[in-house]
């Protein structure tokens, strides 16, 4: 920490600090929290069913242990929040849950069950430029299998994503898990002479360009594969600077409708580029052959297990933007047209994504440990589910509020609250210092089903008044006098104090789903 | 971020990073996570019953918004992890959940229901010197009522702490909630002439000394109230440098057995110090009078609600180390002698603590907003409960593991897994590349109830072998031959593949609690 005058924690001139959050950070309301928790509980139940075990790692790691795998490399610190420890070593807030998993596995490899199957829910941080729908703190929910070379582990990830969507209440047909192998495009890159360390930037920029196909369309991807692209705001993104021949070959692969039509296209690419010559001058083992065989095996496993192409679809255009993928990659989309509150169609993007990353643990140990996994984008998935009418977080009723009519009788009111709580009913004493009108407003704002009032008269008759707040709010709309009187009598009624719990339960029953 | 050579993310000489965590940070095992989650769910249910609503705030806040309220001020950054944003503003990781709450309330005061009653579970970070049982990341679970001047809000916090302990399975008598008012000692300080800004450090050091009474005993506290104290390791802690007369007065108050015996002691202190003269030269309104009245009112409320002195105890020696408390303060202790694995008695300290802090929101707005709350020390409470035999986190059974006998028949095995999962049974396919012996070891390590095996012979008979792993492990200890054969037949048996689910359920039933 540098020792300049601008010390942490001191505003200018000892003035009062302003109550505000840094950009890209948000508070969450009770409703959002309840919706998120309900959704996470469902996801967790599916991950547990699949045999994954929970793991938690701390938010802070050594910077070098996390590595740099974020796509957004133009920003300082490569998009990561970093700071120095007291011993001058650099620490960072984790930017995903995969890098810490690799660290955990490398550290504990001897004692872990192999394969190691873990899930983890956690907050991650990105030191990115905040924008609409782009936050600097968000939550991920990951499942990974480490130490599993078999494509069966990748197949399982696809099935896990599909089962998770259905457990969340998304009907079959309203979601699709797309899978491809990074090796297909790796093979194309090889045929196009783009392998090797000197081409690493070109490959990465190309992968990121292809990852944006859904958002930019093929023309935009072409621009990014070439010299670059200017977006609507006028910002220019540098391209991969591939040749027109290289671009055409990649586009041909991306335009393959399915894996069946992929093989002839790939063969054509190889022939066009002259292929990769073997020692006898003929065409060598085609570089994407492995990938195609792997995908065939994966398809066999998922179809035999009963997952049809309506649920898991092999899509040659999926690539993912992260650098570390080495094999199959996955994306999950909600397929119904999703519209926001203004009726605009929203491009939500992938809600469960991942892939195989066989090199991450080797960063530490030098030994290749095959691994594959998926990550749920918690906020994005919740947003999508809510637009489909699910996980609204509005299913918890507010507390019964015992009002303070007579400040000298706090003890009596507190005892009533106690009685309700002992019966398992959510209840509280009004703890502010305002009068009855404000107290009623408070109970309304809290979403209370009913308020309990006891003035001197009620006390003398050993009674309370129970006021049904939802019903009370509808009274002004009733025009028929008889109906009004009937509803009014239901909306507020005297009740024996000794039977307080039963009286409240009577009101609660009116609103049970 | 300074631009020196020691850039984040780069180890020396591009060597491989070491897989390790910074000191004071830990990974959590599945068992720890399950135990914590079960405990948090119970706490949440009680907090909800009391009418509190969840709130979440981000981990990162502006440093000036968090303020400096940590007791450990000798460390750089006053114990907080801080870093500069891209616009040079200082950000910090939150060190508790109270400071962010104050920021949230100040920011949203107009729209919040008043009082505002919220609970929050969250990770907090302290940039402290790590040590045994002292971590740099831990979890808190807070409940606060903001905008409630009434002592009824403080009384509720005591009852909430007591009810939480009982909901967690701690029997009455095995815990006690201790409550005092910071104002009692504030009054004593006033009588001793220690008010005012010039004495702020003396008062703070004195409060922190008193907060250590439980750990250091009265002699240690006396030293810290005086010139200072050298601990067992030889480290010297600077004291408050009070006079012997001042120290004696404070000690007399701390030695009061209960609030009944406190008043004469306080009167004596006031007389001894000459008291606070009023304008006529007599003794003014005694400064602790308010505190005593408040505590009497609090006692009335909790006793009427049915909480006896065995559950909530008024204890004049409780003070809490945090600077910002302005009224009642609370601590909760487990009372049975707690022993660690080596039989040593452990001083666990307070597991649920808090107090009234009427000044925190005013830091932002200038307007005093009364507030009170408690915080559960999640790890410490879990540690205590586990030593009492609760919340072990060992109640989730491992998955059924379908072994891979014949690698060419992955699809068949995957379908068996699918069948089990569809029946709601936790199951997985062995996804590693090892042979049968290692696969059995894996299933053991995962705590699987049983493994499913199908070789060629079984396949021909449309059967599987079901192996009960727990029972299998006990076989070698059986000496009686007949008993051995009987158990052996139970431990591994052939079963029709078509009835796989029923066969597995038969084994699971053996281990149902």
């Amino acid at each position: 920490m540098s020792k300049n005058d601008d010390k942490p924690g001191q505003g200018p001139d000892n003035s009062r600090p302003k109550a505000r959050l840094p950009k890209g950070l948000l508070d969450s309301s009770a409703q959002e929290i309840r919706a998120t928790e309900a959704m996470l509980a469902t996801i967790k139940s599916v991950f547990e069913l699949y045999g994954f075990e929970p793991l938690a790692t701390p938010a802070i790691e050594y910077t070098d242990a996390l590595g740099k795998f974020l796509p957004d490399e133009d920003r300082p610190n490569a998009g990561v929040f970093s700071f120095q420890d007291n011993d001058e070593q650099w620490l960072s807030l984790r930017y995903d849950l995969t890098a810490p998993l690799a660290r955990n596995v490398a550290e504990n490899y001897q004692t872990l069950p192999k394969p190691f199957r873990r899930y983890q829910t956690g907050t991650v941080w990105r030191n990115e430029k905040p924008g609409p729908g782009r936050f600097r703190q968000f939550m991920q929910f990951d499942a990974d299998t480490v130490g599993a070379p078999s494509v069966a582990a990748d197949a399982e990830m696809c099935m896990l994503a599909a089962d998770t969507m259905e457990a969340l209440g998304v009907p079959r047909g309203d979601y699709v898990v797309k899978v491809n192998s990074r090796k297909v495009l790796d093979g194309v890159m090889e045929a196009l002479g783009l392998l090797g360390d000197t081409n690493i930037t070109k490959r990465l920029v190309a992968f990121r360009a292809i990852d944006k196909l859904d958002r930019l369309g093929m023309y935009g991807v072409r621009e990014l594969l070439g010299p670059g692209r200017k977006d609507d705001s006028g910002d220019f993104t540098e391209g991969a600077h591939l040749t027109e021949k290289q671009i055409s070959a990649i586009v041909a692969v991306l335009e393959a409708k399915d894996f069946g039509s992929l093989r002839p296209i790939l063969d054509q690419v190889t022939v066009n580029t002259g292929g990769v010559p073997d020692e006898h001058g003929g065409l060598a083992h085609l570089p994407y052959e492995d990938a195609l065989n792997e995908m065939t095996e994966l398809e066999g496993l998922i179809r035999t297990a009963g997952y049809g192409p309506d649920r898991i679809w092999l899509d040659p255009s999926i690539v993912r933007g992260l650098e570390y993928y080495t094999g199959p990659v996955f994306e999950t989309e909600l397929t119904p047209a999703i519209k926001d509150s203004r009726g605009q169609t929203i491009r939500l993007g992938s809600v469960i994504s991942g892939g195989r990353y066989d090199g991450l643990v080797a960063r530490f140990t030098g030994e290749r440990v095959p691994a594959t996994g998926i990550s749920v984008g918690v906020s994005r998935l919740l947003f999508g589910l809510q637009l489909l009418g699910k996980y609204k977080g509005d299913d918890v009723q507010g507390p019964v509020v015992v009002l303070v009519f007579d400040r000298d009788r706090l003890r009596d009111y507190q005892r009533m609250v106690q009685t309700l709580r002992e019966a398992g009913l959510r209840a509280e004493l009004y703890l502010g210092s305002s009068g009855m009108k404000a107290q009623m407003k408070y109970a309304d704002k809290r979403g209370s089903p009913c308020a309990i009032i006891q003035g001197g008269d009620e006390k003398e008759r050993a009674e309370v008044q129970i006021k049904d707040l939802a019903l009370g709010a509808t009274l002004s709309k009733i025009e028929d006098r008889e109906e009004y009187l009937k509803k009014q009598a239901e909306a507020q009624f005297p009740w024996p104090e000794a039977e307080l719990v039963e009286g409240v339960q009577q009101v609660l029953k009116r609103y049970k789903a």
Side-chain angles (χ1 to χ4, degrees), chain A:
Chain A
M1 198 62 64
S2 63
K3 287 199 176 174
N4 57 25
D5 291 341
D6 191 14
K7 278 185 200 152
Q10 294 196 341
D13 308 328
N14 286 323
S15 67
R16 283 198 297 264
K18 197 167 175 302
R20 81 285 184 217
L21 274 176
K23 270 186 195 153
L25 296 170
L26 284 181
D27 294 327
S28 306
S29 71
Q31 200 172 334
E32 286 161 350
I33 294 164
R34 293 205 167 105
T36 305
E37 283 181 356
M39 189 184 80
L40 294 179
T42 302
I43 298 170
K44 180 181 143 183
S45 70
V46 183
F47 286 19
E48 288 263 354
L49 186 69
Y50 268 68
F52 292 91
E53 297 277 332
L55 170 75
T57 63
I60 301 172
E61 299 256 359
Y62 280 121
T63 303
D64 67 349
L66 290 182
K68 291 172 164 189
F69 296 102
L70 288 182
D72 195 0
E73 289 219 80
D74 341 320
R75 301 268 304 175
N77 303 326
V80 176
F81 287 105
S82 299
F83 39 95
Q84 267 179 302
D85 204 356
N86 294 317
D87 60 2
E88 306 285 303
Q89 296 209 64
W90 280 100
L91 306 177
S92 292
L93 293 182
R94 64 183 176 208
Y95 56 82
D96 74 0
L97 301 175
T98 312
L101 170 66
R103 189 267 311 149
N104 175 283
V105 168
E107 195 175 349
N108 305 292
Y109 196 68
Q110 293 311 317
T111 57
L112 289 177
K114 280 167 276 281
F116 178 53
R117 295 157 63 77
R118 82 92 179 78
Y119 69 85
Q120 181 168 4
T121 334
T123 308
V124 302
W125 294 265
R126 302 268 171 101
N127 192 6
E128 290 172 349
K129 197 175 153 193
R134 201 177 160 113
F135 301 104
R136 299 206 285 177
Q137 167 173 329
F138 51 94
M139 198 182 261
Q140 294 188 329
F141 200 139
D142 285 21
D144 291 81
T145 301
V146 182
S150 163
V151 75
D154 304 297
E156 189 188 47
M157 290 298 161
C158 301
M159 298 189 276
L160 176 60
D163 284 359
T164 300
M165 295 305 280
E166 296 199 7
L168 289 167
V170 181
R172 205 161 292 182
D174 280 4
Y175 71 89
V176 63
V177 181
K178 294 178 174 175
V179 54
N180 186 22
S181 174
R182 179 64 78 86
K183 285 187 203 162
V184 172
L185 271 164
D186 279 342
V188 173
M189 298 279 181
E190 188 178 345
L192 295 173
L194 287 166
L195 276 201
D197 280 353
T198 51
N199 288 308
I200 192 163
T201 308
K202 281 194 178 184
R203 284 203 307 279
L204 261 177
V205 174
F207 282 138
R208 281 173 204 154
I210 297 164
D211 190 44
K212 292 175 184 154
L213 177 60
D214 179 46
R215 195 145 40 95
L216 304 182
M218 197 61 87
Y219 186 79
V221 172
R222 263 184 177 281
E223 289 180 305
L224 284 174
L225 290 174
R229 176 176 180 274
K230 198 181 271 189
D231 68 16
D232 293 342
S233 74
D235 283 352
F236 183 77
T237 307
E238 191 71 26
H241 294 282
L242 305 189
T243 65
E244 185 49 39
K245 198 174 161 184
Q246 290 168 330
I247 295 173
S248 296
I250 291 173
V251 167
V253 171
L254 297 182
E255 280 176 342
K257 295 245 170 325
D258 49 43
F259 261 72
S261 59
L262 192 56
R263 188 176 290 266
I265 295 172
L266 289 171
D267 289 345
Q268 191 59 46
V269 167
T270 314
V271 170
N272 284 354
T273 57
V276 180
D278 67 13
E279 59 239 39
H280 312 292
L283 277 185
H285 169 78
L286 297 175
Y288 45 77
E289 201 65 42
D290 274 356
L292 292 180
N293 290 339
E294 228 174 61
M295 293 304 282
T296 306
E297 196 182 342
L298 183 143
E299 192 172 21
L301 283 163
I302 56 181
R303 301 290 179 246
T304 311
Y307 295 77
D310 55 332
R311 303 170 73 189
I312 302 175
W313 175 250
L314 274 61
D315 183 331
S317 73
I318 299 300
V319 57
R320 302 302 302 154
L322 279 175
E323 181 187 342
Y324 53 56
Y325 291 124
T326 57
V329 284
F330 329 110
E331 287 190 359
T332 310
E333 279 169 28
L334 287 164
T335 51
I338 292 180
K339 290 178 195 298
D340 65 14
S341 50
R342 288 167 305 175
Q344 300 277 315
T345 299
I346 292 171
R347 201 181 296 277
L348 194 63
S350 173
V351 291
I352 307 181
S353 317
R356 175 167 286 276
Y357 51 97
D358 287 350
L360 261 194
V361 176
R363 280 187 64 237
F364 299 101
T365 60
E367 228 175 297
R368 208 168 164 86
V369 177
T372 185
I374 55 171
S375 179
V376 179
V378 172
S379 307
R380 189 185 284 185
L381 177 56
L382 182 63
F383 182 69
L385 292 173
Q386 288 185 333
L387 288 175
L388 297 174
K390 297 171 204 307
Y391 292 94
K392 294 292 201 177
D394 53 2
D395 51 342
V396 175
Q397 211 162 30
V400 176
V401 179
V402 177
L403 304 189
V404 178
F405 188 91
D406 178 354
R407 203 146 288 280
D408 291 338
R409 291 189 38 239
L410 269 184
R411 292 187 195 190
D412 293 347
Y413 301 137
Q414 177 62 56
R415 208 178 37 218
M416 288 181 203
V417 172
Q418 187 64 15
T419 303
L420 292 169
R421 286 177 184 159
E422 278 166 4
L425 298 175
R426 200 169 181 223
E428 59 173 67
L429 178 64
Y430 173 76
L431 289 169
S433 47
S434 300
M436 288 305 284
K437 205 169 161 185
Q439 294 190 34
M440 288 300 309
K441 255 194 181 163
Y442 170 79
D444 265 334
K445 202 157 188 175
R446 289 298 310 279
S448 305
C450 61
I452 311 296
I453 308 159
Q454 192 187 54
D457 294 351
E458 286 88 9
K459 170 77 178 164
E460 262 178 40
R461 291 193 297 266
E463 279 180 353
V464 293
Q465 290 280 334
I466 300 183
K467 194 171 158 72
D468 177 334
L469 293 164
L471 194 56
T474 64
L475 284 182
S476 63
K477 285 172 208 137
I478 300 175
E479 292 187 3
D480 181 70
R481 188 180 145 76
E482 213 156 309
E483 174 73 5
Y484 180 88
L485 291 175
K486 184 174 158 259
K487 287 289 178 196
Q488 192 190 33
E490 281 178 31
Q492 180 164 346
F493 54 93
W495 191 264
E497 187 187 338
E499 289 160 37
L500 178 63
V501 170
E502 292 76 10
V504 168
Q505 275 166 338
Q506 195 167 300
V507 174
L508 293 181
K509 248 185 285 174
R510 296 175 186 167
Y511 304 103
K512 272 268 161 67

